[in-house]
Amino acid sequence: MRVLVLGGTTEARQLAGLLAGDARFQTTLSLAGRTRKPAPQPLPTRMGGFGGAQGLADYLRAESVQAVIDATHPFANQISANAEAACAAAGVPLAVLTRRPWVAGLGDTWCLVPDMGAAAGALADLPDTVFLTVGRQELEPFLALDRRFLVRAVDPPDALPSNAALVLDRGPYTLDGEIALLRAHGVGTLVTKNSGGDATAAKLDAARALGLPVVMVDRPPAGTAPRLYAASDAMAWLVAHLSSTAA
Ligand code: NAP
């Protein structure tokens, strides 16, 4: 069965590991090409956009793709919307492999906001230094703010707020490491989007331990495709689909 995995996440890499060498599936992994040094992948990989939903539908037909797993990031809403539309147009089954969102627990002080603009607005009454872990492409609403920032990103952002320290790093992170970082920079507020998952959750534990407020940007609305929360579940979905097409 010919499978397309839309990737760019740890979960996509985990699924690629399960699919690699499985003779039942002929899989292509697709990456947007944003990361400068992408991690090595165990599957044949294509890079770059398809040209919108229409381009993706054309690709699915041209490559005779029989199933798509959208394992992109929960905030990559454009490619996910394109996948829904393209799979519907081409008649190809689609499932979403994603992470469960983080949920506030005892001792957390979260300010929930719908988008990054609202996150910038929510900072008015919250203390410096503001730790931004929102992705290098999401900094625009913060650029003009006269605040002290700590920005962490995988690759260098195109632009930074004028009073910002930059840390280039890629998870997973530890609680001790995060507490040390917050203390070293005098962080008073954390801003993050609700990506979910374990690899970057230690910052939330650290904020709780230090009693810091968190501005949490909510996820964009989900589509209608089935949602799976583990690479093994995505594998089971593919196997079930394979069995139903063979029957
Ligand atoms: P996006 O806004 O949803 O997508 C913008 C465009 O990039 C899409 O319309 C598509 O171009 C192309 N694209 C995105 N993912 C693709 C993929 N896996 N394969 C081929 N083309 C892809 O996406 P984004 O938020 O910029 O994220 C880009 C990539 O980084 C995704 O793979 C995502 O999983 C990963 N990522 C995103 C975040 C985040 O916070 N957004 C965090 C970590 C990793 P066309 O319309 O031309 O097809």
Side-chain angles (χ1 to χ4, degrees), residues 171-234:
Y173 302 104
T174 64
L175 176 59
D176 288 349
E178 294 294 61
I179 287 178
L181 182 75
L182 298 183
R183 284 198 170 127
H185 290 269
V187 168
T189 302
L190 169 65
V191 181
T192 183
K193 46 192 187 186
N194 198 338
S195 302
D198 296 334
T200 58
K203 62 191 170 190
L204 300 173
D205 300 333
R208 185 184 314 122
L210 298 179
L212 303 183
V214 175
V215 178
M216 181 65 73
V217 181
D218 207 356
R219 291 185 176 190
T224 56
R227 300 177 81 70
L228 309 168
Y229 294 98
S232 55
D233 291 343

Coordinates of all heavy atoms in Angstrom, one line a residue, residues 171-234:
G171 N 14.7 20.4 21.9 CA 14.4 19.4 23.0 C 15.0 18.0 22.7 O 15.6 17.9 21.7
P172 N 14.8 17.1 23.6 CA 14.0 17.2 24.8 C 14.8 17.9 25.9 O 16.0 18.0 25.9 CB 13.8 15.7 25.2 CG 14.8 14.9 24.5 CD 15.2 15.7 23.3
Y173 N 14.0 18.5 26.8 CA 14.5 19.3 27.9 C 14.2 18.6 29.3 O 13.3 17.8 29.4 CB 13.9 20.7 27.9 CG 14.1 21.4 26.6 CD1 13.1 21.6 25.7 CD2 15.4 22.0 26.3 CE1 13.3 22.2 24.5 CE2 15.6 22.7 25.2 CZ 14.5 22.8 24.2 OH 14.8 23.4 23.1
T174 N 15.0 18.9 30.3 CA 14.8 18.3 31.6 C 14.3 19.4 32.6 O 14.5 20.6 32.4 CB 16.1 17.8 32.2 OG1 17.0 18.9 32.4 CG2 16.7 16.7 31.2
L175 N 13.7 19.0 33.7 CA 13.2 19.9 34.7 C 14.3 20.7 35.3 O 14.3 21.9 35.4 CB 12.4 19.2 35.8 CG 11.9 20.0 36.9 CD1 11.0 21.1 36.4 CD2 11.2 19.1 38.0
D176 N 15.4 20.0 35.6 CA 16.6 20.8 36.2 C 17.1 21.8 35.3 O 17.5 22.9 35.6 CB 17.7 19.8 36.6 CG 17.2 19.0 37.9 OD1 16.2 19.3 38.5 OD2 17.9 18.0 38.2
G177 N 17.3 21.4 34.0 CA 17.8 22.3 33.0 C 16.9 23.5 32.8 O 17.4 24.6 32.7
E178 N 15.6 23.3 32.8 CA 14.7 24.4 32.6 C 14.7 25.3 33.7 O 14.6 26.6 33.6 CB 13.2 23.8 32.3 CG 13.1 23.0 31.0 CD 13.3 23.8 29.8 OE1 14.4 24.4 29.6 OE2 12.3 23.9 29.0
I179 N 14.7 24.8 35.0 CA 14.7 25.6 36.1 C 16.0 26.5 36.1 O 16.0 27.7 36.4 CB 14.6 24.8 37.4 CG1 13.2 24.3 37.6 CG2 15.0 25.6 38.7 CD1 13.0 23.4 38.8
A180 N 17.1 25.9 35.8 CA 18.4 26.6 35.7 C 18.3 27.7 34.7 O 18.8 28.9 34.9 CB 19.5 25.6 35.4
L181 N 17.7 27.4 33.5 CA 17.6 28.5 32.5 C 16.7 29.6 32.9 O 17.1 30.8 32.8 CB 17.0 27.8 31.2 CG 16.9 28.7 30.0 CD1 18.3 29.0 29.4 CD2 15.9 28.2 29.0
L182 N 15.6 29.3 33.5 CA 14.6 30.3 34.0 C 15.3 31.2 35.0 O 15.2 32.5 35.0 CB 13.4 29.7 34.5 CG 12.5 28.9 33.6 CD1 11.2 28.4 34.3 CD2 12.2 29.6 32.3
R183 N 16.0 30.6 35.9 CA 16.7 31.4 37.0 C 17.8 32.2 36.4 O 17.9 33.4 36.8 CB 17.3 30.4 38.0 CG 16.2 29.9 39.0 CD 16.8 29.3 40.2 NE 15.8 28.9 41.2 CZ 15.7 27.8 41.8 NH1 16.6 26.8 41.6 NH2 14.7 27.6 42.7
A184 N 18.6 31.7 35.5 CA 19.7 32.4 34.9 C 19.3 33.7 34.2 O 20.0 34.7 34.2 CB 20.5 31.5 34.0
H185 N 18.1 33.6 33.6 CA 17.6 34.8 32.8 C 16.6 35.6 33.6 O 16.0 36.5 33.0 CB 17.1 34.3 31.5 CG 18.1 33.8 30.6 ND1 18.8 34.6 29.6 CD2 18.7 32.6 30.4 CE1 19.7 33.9 29.0 NE2 19.6 32.7 29.4
G186 N 16.3 35.3 34.9 CA 15.4 36.0 35.6 C 14.0 36.0 35.0 O 13.3 37.0 35.0
V187 N 13.6 34.8 34.5 CA 12.3 34.8 33.8 C 11.2 35.0 34.8 O 11.2 34.4 35.9 CB 12.2 33.4 33.1 CG1 10.7 33.2 32.6 CG2 13.1 33.3 31.9
G188 N 10.2 35.8 34.4 CA 9.0 36.1 35.3 C 7.7 35.5 34.7 O 6.7 35.3 35.4
T189 N 7.7 35.3 33.3 CA 6.5 34.8 32.6 C 6.9 33.9 31.5 O 7.9 34.2 30.8 CB 5.7 36.0 32.0 OG1 5.4 36.9 33.1 CG2 4.5 35.6 31.3
L190 N 6.2 32.8 31.3 CA 6.4 31.9 30.1 C 5.3 32.1 29.1 O 4.1 32.1 29.5 CB 6.5 30.5 30.7 CG 6.5 29.4 29.6 CD1 7.7 29.4 28.8 CD2 6.3 28.0 30.4
V191 N 5.7 32.2 27.9 CA 4.7 32.2 26.8 C 4.9 31.0 25.9 O 6.0 30.8 25.4 CB 4.7 33.5 25.9 CG1 3.6 33.4 24.8 CG2 4.5 34.7 26.8
T192 N 3.9 30.2 25.7 CA 4.1 29.0 24.9 C 2.7 28.7 24.2 O 1.7 29.2 24.6 CB 4.5 27.8 25.8 OG1 4.7 26.6 24.9 CG2 3.5 27.4 26.8
K193 N 2.8 27.9 23.1 CA 1.6 27.4 22.5 C 1.4 25.9 23.0 O 2.3 25.2 23.3 CB 1.6 27.5 21.0 CG 2.9 27.1 20.3 CD 2.9 27.5 18.9 CE 4.0 27.0 18.1 NZ 4.2 27.5 16.8
N194 N 0.1 25.5 23.0 CA -0.2 24.2 23.5 C 0.1 23.1 22.6 O -0.8 22.4 22.0 CB -1.7 24.1 24.0 CG -1.9 23.0 25.0 OD1 -1.1 22.1 25.0 ND2 -2.9 23.1 25.8
S195 N 1.4 22.9 22.4 CA 1.9 21.9 21.4 C 1.6 20.5 22.0 O 1.4 19.5 21.2 CB 3.4 22.0 21.2 OG 3.6 23.3 20.6
G196 N 1.7 20.3 23.3 CA 1.6 19.0 23.9 C 2.8 18.2 23.8 O 3.8 18.6 23.2
G197 N 2.8 16.9 24.3 CA 3.9 16.0 24.2 C 4.9 16.2 25.3 O 4.9 17.2 26.1
D198 N 5.8 15.2 25.5 CA 6.7 15.1 26.6 C 8.0 15.9 26.4 O 8.6 16.4 27.3 CB 7.1 13.7 26.9 CG 5.9 12.8 27.3 OD1 4.9 13.4 27.8 OD2 5.9 11.6 27.1
A199 N 8.4 16.0 25.1 CA 9.8 16.5 24.9 C 10.0 17.9 25.4 O 11.1 18.3 25.8 CB 10.1 16.4 23.4
T200 N 8.9 18.7 25.3 CA 9.1 20.2 25.7 C 8.2 20.5 26.9 O 8.0 21.7 27.2 CB 8.8 21.1 24.5 OG1 7.4 20.8 24.1 CG2 9.7 20.9 23.4
A201 N 7.7 19.5 27.7 CA 6.8 19.8 28.8 C 7.5 20.3 30.0 O 6.9 20.8 30.9 CB 5.9 18.6 29.1
A202 N 8.8 20.0 30.1 CA 9.6 20.4 31.3 C 9.5 21.9 31.7 O 9.5 22.2 32.8 CB 11.0 19.9 31.2
K203 N 9.3 22.7 30.7 CA 9.2 24.2 30.9 C 8.0 24.5 31.8 O 8.0 25.4 32.6 CB 9.2 25.0 29.6 CG 8.0 24.6 28.7 CD 8.1 25.3 27.4 CE 7.1 24.7 26.4 NZ 7.3 25.1 25.0
L204 N 6.9 23.7 31.6 CA 5.7 23.9 32.4 C 5.9 23.4 33.8 O 5.4 24.1 34.7 CB 4.5 23.2 31.7 CG 4.2 23.6 30.3 CD1 3.1 22.7 29.7 CD2 3.7 25.0 30.3
D205 N 6.6 22.3 34.0 CA 6.9 21.8 35.3 C 7.8 22.9 36.0 O 7.6 23.1 37.2 CB 7.6 20.5 35.2 CG 6.8 19.4 34.6 OD1 5.5 19.5 34.6 OD2 7.3 18.5 34.0
A206 N 8.7 23.4 35.3 CA 9.6 24.4 35.9 C 8.9 25.7 36.3 O 9.1 26.2 37.3 CB 10.8 24.8 34.9
A207 N 8.0 26.1 35.4 CA 7.2 27.3 35.7 C 6.3 27.1 37.0 O 6.2 27.9 37.9 CB 6.3 27.7 34.5
R208 N 5.8 25.9 37.1 CA 5.0 25.5 38.3 C 5.9 25.5 39.5 O 5.5 26.1 40.6 CB 4.3 24.1 38.1 CG 3.4 23.7 39.2 CD 2.9 22.3 39.1 NE 2.4 22.1 37.7 CZ 2.9 21.1 36.9 NH1 3.9 20.3 37.4 NH2 2.4 20.9 35.7
A209 N 7.1 24.9 39.4 CA 8.0 24.8 40.5 C 8.4 26.2 41.0 O 8.6 26.4 42.2 CB 9.2 24.0 40.2
L210 N 8.5 27.2 40.1 CA 9.0 28.5 40.5 C 7.8 29.5 40.7 O 8.0 30.7 40.9 CB 9.9 29.1 39.4 CG 11.2 28.3 39.1 CD1 12.1 28.9 38.0 CD2 12.1 28.2 40.4
G211 N 6.6 29.0 40.5 CA 5.4 29.8 40.7 C 5.2 30.9 39.6 O 4.7 32.0 39.9
L212 N 5.7 30.6 38.4 CA 5.6 31.6 37.3 C 4.3 31.5 36.5 O 3.8 30.4 36.3 CB 6.7 31.4 36.3 CG 8.2 31.5 36.9 CD1 9.2 31.4 35.8 CD2 8.3 32.8 37.7
P213 N 3.7 32.6 36.1 CA 2.5 32.5 35.2 C 2.9 32.1 33.8 O 4.0 32.4 33.3 CB 2.0 34.0 35.2 CG 3.2 34.8 35.5 CD 4.1 34.0 36.4
V214 N 1.9 31.4 33.2 CA 2.1 30.9 31.8 C 1.0 31.4 30.9 O -0.2 31.3 31.3 CB 2.1 29.3 31.8 CG1 2.2 28.8 30.4 CG2 3.2 28.7 32.7
V215 N 1.4 32.1 29.8 CA 0.4 32.4 28.8 C 0.4 31.3 27.8 O 1.4 31.1 27.1 CB 0.8 33.8 28.2 CG1 -0.2 34.1 27.1 CG2 0.9 34.9 29.2
M216 N -0.7 30.6 27.7 CA -0.9 29.4 26.9 C -1.8 29.7 25.7 O -2.9 30.0 25.9 CB -1.5 28.3 27.8 CG -1.6 27.0 27.1 SD -0.1 26.2 26.6 CE 0.6 25.7 28.2
V217 N -1.2 29.6 24.5 CA -1.9 29.8 23.3 C -2.6 28.5 22.9 O -2.0 27.4 22.8 CB -1.0 30.3 22.1 CG1 -1.8 30.5 20.9 CG2 -0.2 31.5 22.5
D218 N -3.9 28.6 22.8 CA -4.7 27.4 22.5 C -4.5 26.9 21.0 O -4.0 27.7 20.2 CB -6.2 27.7 22.7 CG -7.0 26.5 23.1 OD1 -6.4 25.4 23.1 OD2 -8.2 26.6 23.3
R219 N -4.8 25.6 20.8 CA -4.7 25.1 19.5 C -5.7 25.6 18.5 O -6.8 25.9 18.9 CB -4.8 23.5 19.5 CG -3.7 22.9 20.2 CD -3.8 21.4 20.2 NE -2.7 20.8 20.8 CZ -2.4 19.5 20.8 NH1 -3.2 18.7 20.1 NH2 -1.3 19.0 21.3
P220 N -5.3 25.6 17.2 CA -6.4 25.9 16.2 C -7.4 24.8 16.1 O -7.1 23.7 16.6 CB -5.6 26.0 14.9 CG -4.3 25.4 15.1 CD -4.0 25.4 16.6
P221 N -8.6 25.1 15.6 CA -9.6 24.0 15.6 C -9.2 22.8 14.8 O -8.5 23.0 13.8 CB -10.8 24.7 14.9 CG -10.5 26.1 14.9 CD -9.1 26.3 15.1
A222 N -9.6 21.6 15.2 CA -9.2 20.4 14.5 C -10.2 20.1 13.4 O -11.3 20.6 13.4 CB -9.2 19.2 15.5
G223 N -9.7 19.4 12.4 CA -10.6 19.0 11.3 C -11.4 17.7 11.7 O -11.6 17.4 12.9
T224 N -11.9 17.0 10.7 CA -12.8 15.9 10.9 C -12.2 14.5 10.8 O -12.8 13.5 11.2 CB -14.0 16.0 10.0 OG1 -13.5 16.0 8.6 CG2 -14.8 17.2 10.2
A225 N -10.9 14.5 10.4 CA -10.3 13.1 10.2 C -10.1 12.5 11.6 O -9.9 13.2 12.6 CB -8.9 13.3 9.5
P226 N -10.0 11.1 11.7 CA -9.8 10.5 12.9 C -8.5 10.9 13.5 O -7.5 11.1 12.8 CB -9.8 9.0 12.6 CG -9.8 8.9 11.1 CD -10.2 10.2 10.6
R227 N -8.4 11.1 14.9 CA -7.2 11.6 15.5 C -6.6 10.4 16.3 O -7.3 9.7 17.1 CB -7.5 12.7 16.4 CG -8.1 13.9 15.7 CD -8.5 15.0 16.6 NE -7.4 15.9 16.9 CZ -6.7 16.7 16.1 NH1 -7.1 16.7 14.8 NH2 -5.7 17.4 16.5
L228 N -5.3 10.2 16.2 CA -4.6 9.1 16.8 C -3.5 9.7 17.6 O -2.9 10.7 17.2 CB -4.0 8.1 15.7 CG -5.0 7.7 14.7 CD1 -4.4 7.0 13.5 CD2 -6.1 6.7 15.4
Y229 N -3.1 9.1 18.8 CA -2.2 9.8 19.7 C -0.9 9.0 19.9 O -0.2 9.3 20.8 CB -3.0 10.0 21.0 CG -4.1 11.0 20.8 CD1 -5.4 10.6 20.7 CD2 -3.8 12.4 20.8 CE1 -6.4 11.6 20.5 CE2 -4.8 13.3 20.6 CZ -6.1 12.9 20.4 OH -7.1 13.8 20.2
A230 N -0.7 8.0 19.1 CA 0.6 7.2 19.2 C 0.9 6.7 17.8 O 0.0 6.3 17.1 CB 0.5 6.1 20.2
A231 N 2.2 6.6 17.6 CA 2.7 6.0 16.3 C 2.1 4.6 16.1 O 1.8 4.2 15.0 CB 4.2 6.1 16.2
S232 N 2.1 3.8 17.2 CA 1.6 2.5 17.1 C 0.1 2.5 16.7 O -0.3 1.6 15.9 CB 1.8 1.7 18.4 OG 1.2 2.4 19.4
D233 N -0.6 3.5 17.1 CA -2.1 3.5 16.7 C -2.2 3.9 15.2 O -3.1 3.4 14.5 CB -2.8 4.6 17.6 CG -2.9 4.2 19.0 OD1 -2.8 2.9 19.3 OD2 -3.2 5.0 19.9
A234 N -1.3 4.8 14.8 CA -1.3 5.1 13.3 C -1.0 3.9 12.5 O -1.6 3.6 11.4 CB -0.3 6.2 13.0

